[in-house]
Amino acid sequence: MRFSPSIALADRLDRDVYLVLEDFGARAGCAWRETDEADTDLETVLQGLLSGQYAYPVRIVCFNASEGWSRDATSDVANALAQRAAGIDYDVPAALQDFIAAKATRRFDVQLALPLQGAA
């Protein structure tokens, strides 16, 4: 039998990869988003979710092909998003708020700054 070298570089395989399942509505249904390989690390996925790149995330999976495992990372990502959203000053999209509320396993309460009456 002939040996064929892998087309993937070994250092590119030895890392965790995160993929987002997104709901595109009743007609299109759910699909895994096509994503550039460089954009599949946790930090980039979190930034993409917070910036609105994903409109209606449903599930996030994580896998590491070189270590031979995969897992549902939805609640971990929702927890990380909730923690980050608690510390930012812009509005988190409603769909992302719904995702966090449905999938986070920890609570991150935030005290909203309310304007004082008569303060100018």
Side-chain angles (χ1 to χ4, degrees):
M1 187 159 108
R2 224 167 109 181
F3 174 75
S4 298
S6 173
I7 60 171
L9 299 175
D11 63 334
R12 289 171 38 191
L13 291 176
D14 191 17
R15 66 181 189 85
D16 296 352
V17 174
Y18 290 81
L19 297 176
V20 178
L21 180 66
E22 187 166 8
D23 186 352
F24 291 99
R27 292 186 73 159
C30 294
W32 297 101
R33 289 285 300 263
E34 184 175 339
T35 306
D36 186 273
E37 178 186 6
D39 297 334
T40 59
D41 62 287
L42 178 58
E43 183 60 33
T44 304
V45 169
L46 290 172
Q47 290 175 2
L49 287 160
L50 285 170
S51 69
Q53 179 180 345
Y54 303 97
Y56 297 99
V58 175
R59 180 177 305 272
I60 293 105
V61 296
C62 177
F63 66 90
N64 187 312
S66 67
E67 294 177 6
W69 59 264
S70 64
R71 67 181 180 86
D72 182 347
T74 306
S75 62
D76 294 339
V77 171
N79 289 335
L81 288 169
Q83 187 172 15
R84 288 192 185 195
I88 56 177
D89 286 338
Y90 66 90
D91 291 330
V92 175
L96 189 56
Q97 289 177 17
D98 293 343
F99 173 79
I100 292 169
K103 306 297 184 180
T105 57
R106 292 182 286 177
R107 289 191 50 159
F108 295 93
D109 294 326
V110 179
Q111 176 65 47
L112 300 176
L114 300 174
L116 299 174
Q117 288 185 346

